[in-house]
Amino acid sequence: MLINYLKNAIRIILKRKTISVINILGLAVGIAACLLILHYAAFELSYDQFHKNLDNIYRFRGGDRADIAAAAGQALTEEFPEVLDYVRLLRAGSWGIYSYKDRYFREAKTFSTSNSLFRIFSFKLLQGDRETVLTEPNSVVLTESTAKKYFGDEDPMGKVLRYNGRADYKVVGIMEDVPKNSHLKFDLLASIETLRLRYGDDTDNSWTIWGFYTYIQVESGTDPVALEHKVQEFSKRKQKEVNRPESFWEIYHVMPLKDIHLYSSYVSEAEENGSGTAIKFLLIIAFLIIIIAWCNYINLSTARSLERAKEVGVRKVVGASRRQLIRQFLFESFVLNILGAGLAVLIMELALSVFSQFSGTPAMFILLEDIRFWIGFLAVFVFGVFLSGLYPAFILSSFQPVSAIKGNTGPASRGVILRKGLVVFQFMVSAALIAGTLTVYKQISHMINSDLGMDIEQTLVLQRPNVIIDKSREEFEARTETFKKELEKISGVGKISRSMYVPGDDVFMINEGQKADESIDATIDIYEIQMDDNFIEMYDLKLLAGRNFSREFSTDSSGIILNDTARKLLGWESPESAINQKFIYQTKNPFTVVGVVADYHQESLKQNFEPLVFLYRPSNNGHYSVKIKTDNPMGIIAAVKELWDKFYPGNPCDYFFLDDHYNRQYGSDWQFLKMFGLFSLLAIFVACLGLLGLSLFNTVQRTKEIGIRKVLGASLSNIIFMLTKDFFKLIILANLIALPLFYFYLNKWLGKYPFRIGIGWWFFTAPLVLIAGITLLVISYHSLKAATSNPVEALRYE
């Protein structure tokens, strides 16, 4: 019986090749898209899953920051018996230069930490003792690739790396490279004991020095909600003890390690994290794509009911029962789905390497060895076979034999309402996806193209020299001044500035400040940028009141410039009223406000304006910002490198263009847009395949009507309008249903951006116009062919 069903299914597939190809291709693209989305989602969800203590590891954070005060880890561990261990990581504030013999590199991914890192986390240590590494000052653990970079084939254990040309660090451990799916990424770990030697007790006891990523391991079965409540109460009590104003408290929280990558987007994250919302959106798209593919099958199968009526009648006359017919049509659905699934696997295998580069995921299907996935996939596949095949099977098997043989299959509307409903659903999905893609694109474009309040174009940034060969501060300052003068002589070089931070940097230097003669309640956290007197002019910051720093004023070393957000938080009514006021900052010796600049976006438009204070430090060992002409950038860079090597030997000439550096902050948003846009296009493509098939049947069924209308004088445009008007009615209905619903969800998504676009008329008109245009293109071939055919041939059509 099954052999007979199989032969019949193959015969039907080959008889209607066009429709069969549309069905199989639609299913294949839908299933392949689903598999790729699941591959991406599984990778994103796998972050930090390799840690064996995953369920018992949490991260402390304070307020809206991902880091926390230096003293918090130890104090909280001592306070709560359920906390078994803790580890702190402090990101290197200045990317150090490490060297071995003639090899030297700037290490950007470096943390200071303790050996408890290897007790809590499951990073694999290949060489060294997990219990003793990083317990001694001036010791480091390297990843395999970092060790290879410095030592080649030499055994790195016990070797010494020179740090910034002035300190030696002994290699005490080699670990596997950090897995790609870790929210903590580093190439080198330095002992936190070195910081204790340098900064004393503040490394462990300060409640005002922040920047420490602090993780705890708790006992199994610990209630995270109860722990969160106790941590909050403890943090309030501690901040009261250190005499911080209540309005200024940073309440501490605990966050499960497994949630950090997808659900943590706070200030000063160790890495730019992913988005749980993006994953949910993509999984919804995956579900919708496969549903659309199955809808195509249902639509095309029910549309062909008249064509297969005589076949059903003959089978019933020769003794086939309705149950046998249902099994036959379900088997046809199974065969088509199997062919589609097979082609989908082939498409996925061919596309996976390209998709991996596109999405940043592994090149091997991540769920290949997960039995739970295959069980779920098989269950969904079987469900889909029945979902897509059951209704057409019942429709086709319900025909009465005599009537079916005569071509009378019942009411003309049989299945029409369902088909129109499914088409409306496909148009609804298409409209929603187009609206979503446009909204995401416009929001990202808005952030990138908005006025930043400064000029970052044509700016080359040279990273600071860390290896200092000068014997005194004066010698170093003289060297930097000479270097700047030589830079200015290079053709194409314009203004030059030095600063500890450039736009796009996450400012880690944060202190407390207040107006002089005010109570402690007036204290604010304020972010510090040290700069020279060219910074404001070079970046074209707007002075609202006062003046810029100047070498002509010897008192400017005790002067400050505030941004407008800081001015408002401090309580001065206007920029002018803040000038010459006293500001207590860092020490009890007051600074004088000499200027107020308009707010600019030091960080991306995903963050609100932060209070900034600018200190005049012309000799700061910071980055060089260089305005250049764009007609010969590589020639300018070559000249800069030659000059750099002459003035700063032992320092790699690392540079970046500031607009690229700034826009990297939108990396996760661009990734979301690429993924959302790609799979939205695939969903629309699958929907178009169904429209193509339906338009073919619609045209064929109305062949005689078209011939009669042409004989009676109908024009080409009349015929095309007749064949397309029903589709356009469905398009309008779908947009009227989908877009108001989707408007709510997109508004909610946009709500996370402090600087967001408004959703205007384009949101409702663009999807409608695009879908109408796509539909017209898809169905125009059959419509034009029918409208231009010979009416005599149409009247002869059976």
Side-chain angles (χ1 to χ4, degrees), residues 468-479:
I468 309 300
I469 61 175
D470 302 290
K471 296 180 180 179
S472 67
R473 182 75 182 179
E474 289 73 22
E475 284 185 26
F476 176 70
E477 291 178 12
R479 178 185 298 272

Side-chain angles (χ1 to χ4, degrees), residues 568-588:
K568 292 174 183 175
L569 289 174
L570 288 166
W572 285 303
E573 292 184 357
S574 65
E576 291 77 13
S577 65
I579 302 303
N580 295 323
Q581 298 294 329
K582 300 299 181 182
F583 179 66
I584 303 296
Y585 181 68
Q586 295 180 335
T587 67
K588 294 301 180 183

Side-chain angles (χ1 to χ4, degrees), residues 195-207:
L195 295 180
R196 290 194 179 100
L197 290 180
R198 190 177 303 169
Y199 300 112
D201 292 342
D202 280 348
T203 305
D204 298 308
N205 301 327
S206 176
W207 288 91

Side-chain angles (χ1 to χ4, degrees), residues 239-271:
Q239 291 183 97
K240 187 175 183 180
E241 290 176 7
V242 297
N243 202 30
R244 299 196 83 191
E246 185 172 349
S247 60
F248 203 56
W249 288 355
E250 297 283 7
I251 305 302
Y252 295 166
H253 304 270
V254 291
M255 187 170 201
L257 176 64
K258 60 187 176 184
D259 291 344
I260 291 175
H261 176 66
L262 291 180
Y263 301 102
S264 183
S265 56
Y266 300 100
V267 178
S268 299
E269 291 285 354
E271 291 282 336

Side-chain angles (χ1 to χ4, degrees), residues 53 143 173 313 361 379 603 660 703 726:
N53 294 320
T143 61
T361 56
E603 296 180 55
D660 293 335
T703 301
D726 288 340

Side-chain angles (χ1 to χ4, degrees), residues 681-751:
L681 284 175
L682 290 178
I684 294 168
F685 172 74
V686 174
C688 288
L689 287 176
L691 285 177
L692 185 65
L694 280 178
S695 68
L696 171 60
F697 271 101
N698 185 46
T699 304
V700 168
Q701 287 178 343
R702 304 181 73 173
T703 301
K704 280 193 175 182
E705 179 188 349
I706 293 169
I708 293 170
R709 287 179 179 274
K710 291 186 71 174
V711 168
L712 296 176
S715 65
L716 178 65
S717 59
N718 293 144
I719 300 298
I720 293 176
F721 177 74
M722 178 194 73
L723 293 173
T724 58
K725 65 179 181 179
D726 288 340
F727 285 109
F728 288 113
K729 290 177 182 177
L730 298 179
I731 290 171
I732 293 171
L733 176 61
N735 278 263
L736 289 175
I737 297 172
L739 294 180
L741 291 174
F742 209 55
Y743 179 89
F744 169 78
Y745 291 103
L746 283 175
N747 252 326
K748 186 176 180 181
W749 178 77
L750 287 169

Side-chain angles (χ1 to χ4, degrees), residues 250-312:
E250 297 283 7
I251 305 302
Y252 295 166
H253 304 270
V254 291
M255 187 170 201
L257 176 64
K258 60 187 176 184
D259 291 344
I260 291 175
H261 176 66
L262 291 180
Y263 301 102
S264 183
S265 56
Y266 300 100
V267 178
S268 299
E269 291 285 354
E271 291 282 336
E272 185 175 13
N273 288 323
S275 168
T277 302
I279 297 301
K280 290 175 183 176
F281 269 121
L282 290 173
L283 290 174
I284 290 171
I285 292 176
F287 174 75
L288 292 175
I289 289 176
I290 196 65
I291 291 295
I292 288 173
W294 285 328
C295 286
N296 287 345
Y297 181 83
I298 296 171
N299 266 338
L300 295 176
S301 296
T302 54
R304 293 173 63 194
S305 60
L306 180 63
E307 177 186 309
R308 300 194 66 180
K310 289 185 179 181
E311 174 196 343
V312 171

